[in-house]
Amino acid sequence: MKLPKLPFTVTDWNKVPVTEHSGEQGKALWRSFTTDDLRVRIVEYTPGYLADHWCDRGHVLYVLEGELDTELRDGRTFKLTTGMSYQVSDYGDEAHRSSTKTGVKLFIVD
């Protein structure tokens, strides 16, 4: 990921509107800042959330609260808890899919 040229920018996440995205199960609630090819988000998955797709996009993902289960297409699984992160490149390691039993709040840069 290469950050695009942009001025110093402050984001008050409490003032960013929420958009809702349905998963195969549950919902994802996004607050997003986007410029050029950069997207920065606070994302909350409701309890029982399961993504409706396999994702090949690169991310830096940090768990702010809760537990996230990440499944790779090759069958590997990872449980991330508060304070943990993962980093993956575009079309990198393996396509991945997110789920949570309890709900989770994430900070994501992609």
Side-chain angles (χ1 to χ4, degrees):
M1 167 180 21
K2 182 166 174 55
L3 296 178
K5 185 173 181 173
L6 73 152
F8 182 84
T9 305
V10 174
T11 304
D12 182 345
W13 292 103
N14 296 311
K15 294 181 179 177
V16 175
V18 174
T19 59
E20 188 174 296
H21 306 264
S22 294
E24 188 173 303
Q25 299 171 16
K27 296 178 184 176
L29 307 172
W30 296 12
R31 294 178 190 266
S32 302
F33 168 80
T34 304
T35 182
D36 293 329
D37 289 333
L38 173 68
R39 181 172 65 177
V40 181
R41 300 177 284 160
I42 299 289
V43 175
E44 294 184 58
Y45 295 148
T46 60
Y49 176 82
L50 172 63
D52 64 351
H53 66 283
W54 290 96
C55 181
D56 278 310
R57 187 168 181 163
H59 311 285
V60 175
L61 177 147
Y62 178 77
V63 180
L64 296 167
E65 300 171 5
E67 291 185 353
L68 176 71
D69 295 307
T70 299
E71 177 184 6
L72 302 187
R73 189 174 281 162
D74 69 7
R76 289 180 287 160
T77 60
F78 302 87
K79 181 176 291 296
L80 284 78
T81 58
T82 301
M84 294 177 73
S85 69
Y86 75 68
Q87 300 70 230
V88 64
S89 63
D90 288 336
Y91 303 98
D93 193 5
E94 283 288 331
H96 48 280
R97 179 168 66 166
S98 296
S99 65
T100 180
K101 292 177 183 161
T102 61
V104 67
K105 186 174 186 178
L106 309 166
F107 181 78
I108 305 171
V109 179
D110 51 20

